[in-house]
């Protein structure tokens, strides 16, 4: 609340967005506030990609990047459903089963669940507790991103040119998912009823269908 009370004292407002993505929001804020509003996004640390790429030539490459290097272009679905508030253990198990049945290669970042999920995901997938997400999204073998629609993750996916499967969990993730699917048309929504429903067979079939949309980079331009 203290931050909000200080807004009238500001000289300008900086947004980690891109005008081309949200022109109406930027124009509305400019009309409301007496100071200018500047979208300065996507604010992606892309220079670190070039720096890190030169370092990895002489240093150990993380196992997940070595794994990505071993797969064809646009053949891997990257999955990260957030670390602050993620899906339940039951939902995790059903996602794992659907992915295993889909036959799609995947790299799944599952904080706190990696060890358990490794056993249920089969040989097509790699489950890790953490990764350098921007570097993964920019890797040539990644063809899609199953995301909880956090704003930073969304901007990184757009920067990398990777289409998204949206699975919002709460708050701003829901409207961000709507923008991805309906406005920007760079993704496909995973229905919440698909994960956690009573009809396990239909549930896993739908997860499988969602995963296969991105197999071999079908949605790349």
């Amino acid at each position: 609340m203290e931050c909000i009370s200080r807004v009238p004292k500001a000289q300008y407002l900086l947004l980690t967005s891109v005008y081309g993505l949200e022109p109406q929001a930027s124009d509305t804020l400019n009309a409301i506030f007496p100071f200018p509003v500047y979208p300065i996004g996507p604010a992606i640390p892309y220079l670190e990609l070039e720096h890190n790429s030169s370092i990895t030539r002489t240093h150990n490459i993380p196992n997940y990047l070595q794994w990505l290097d071993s797969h064809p272009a646009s053949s891997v679905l990257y999955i990260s459903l957030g670390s602050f508030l993620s899906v339940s253990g039951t939902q995790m198990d059903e996602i794992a089963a659907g992915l295993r049945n889909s036959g799609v290669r995947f790299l799944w970042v599952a904080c706190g669940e990696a060890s358990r999920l490794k056993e249920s995901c089969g040989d097509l997938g790699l489950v890790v507790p953490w990764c350098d997400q921007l570097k993964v999204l920019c890797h040539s073998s990644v063809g899609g991103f199953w995301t909880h629609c956090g704003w930073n993750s969304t901007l990184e996916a757009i920067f990398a040119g990777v289409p998204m499967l949206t699975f919002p969990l709460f708050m701003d993730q829901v409207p961000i998912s709507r923008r991805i699917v309906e406005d920007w048309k760079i993704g496909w929504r995973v229905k919440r009823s698909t994960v956690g429903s009573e009809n396990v067979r239909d549930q896993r079939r739908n997860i499988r269908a969602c995963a296969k949309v991105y197999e071999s980079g079908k949605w790349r331009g």
Side-chain angles (χ1 to χ4, degrees):
M1 294 300 294
E2 183 179 354
C3 293
I4 295 176
S5 67
R6 292 186 178 184
V7 167
K9 301 178 182 179
Q11 296 180 3
Y12 44 81
L13 176 62
L14 304 181
L15 303 177
T16 58
S17 184
V18 179
Y19 183 80
L21 290 178
E22 301 182 294
Q24 185 176 4
S26 296
D27 292 342
T28 300
L29 291 174
N30 266 309
I32 293 174
F33 294 125
F35 45 78
V37 177
Y38 299 113
I40 61 169
I44 300 297
Y46 62 90
L47 291 177
E48 292 186 10
L49 291 173
E50 299 177 1
H51 176 66
N52 290 339
S53 64
S54 62
I55 291 178
T56 53
R57 295 191 185 99
T58 56
H59 291 71
N60 292 331
I61 301 175
N63 69 313
Y64 57 85
L65 290 180
Q66 295 182 43
W67 186 83
L68 289 175
D69 287 341
S70 68
H71 291 90
S74 301
S75 66
V76 175
L77 176 65
Y78 170 59
I79 307 165
S80 178
L81 299 176
S83 55
F84 175 67
L85 177 64
S86 193
V87 299
S88 67
T90 300
Q91 290 174 323
M92 286 278 198
D93 291 337
E94 293 309 320
I95 291 173
L99 290 169
R100 185 175 62 248
N101 294 335
S102 73
V104 174
R105 300 180 184 90
F106 60 91
L107 171 61
W108 190 351
V109 175
C111 302
E113 295 279 351
S115 298
R116 184 177 67 83
L117 290 173
K118 284 179 181 178
E119 300 178 0
S120 58
C121 283
D123 298 331
L124 283 175
L126 177 65
V127 185
V128 296
W130 180 89
C131 76
D132 184 331
Q133 178 166 282
L134 183 58
K135 182 170 286 190
V136 166
L137 287 171
C138 290
H139 196 284
S140 61
S141 70
V142 173
F145 180 20
W146 186 330
T147 174
H148 66 303
C149 302
W151 184 239
N152 289 335
S153 293
T154 299
L155 289 179
E156 289 179 350
I158 293 173
F159 173 82
V162 175
M164 289 167 269
L165 282 171
T166 70
F167 192 71
L169 300 174
F170 75 129
M171 294 179 65
D172 63 329
Q173 297 168 7
V174 176
I176 290 173
S177 170
R178 190 178 304 117
R179 300 301 298 273
I180 292 170
V181 176
E182 299 176 9
D183 297 341
W184 304 331
K185 302 186 187 305
I186 53 175
W188 189 26
R189 183 181 296 108
V190 180
K191 296 180 180 179
R192 291 306 300 262
S193 59
T194 297
V195 181
S197 64
E198 295 181 359
N199 192 330
V200 174
R201 180 178 297 178
D202 287 346
Q203 175 181 327
R204 295 183 180 182
R205 185 184 299 117
N206 288 331
I207 294 173
R208 173 183 176 181
C210 287
K212 289 188 74 65
V213 166
Y214 293 91
E215 189 175 23
S216 300
K218 293 178 182 178
W219 279 42
R220 283 187 179 270

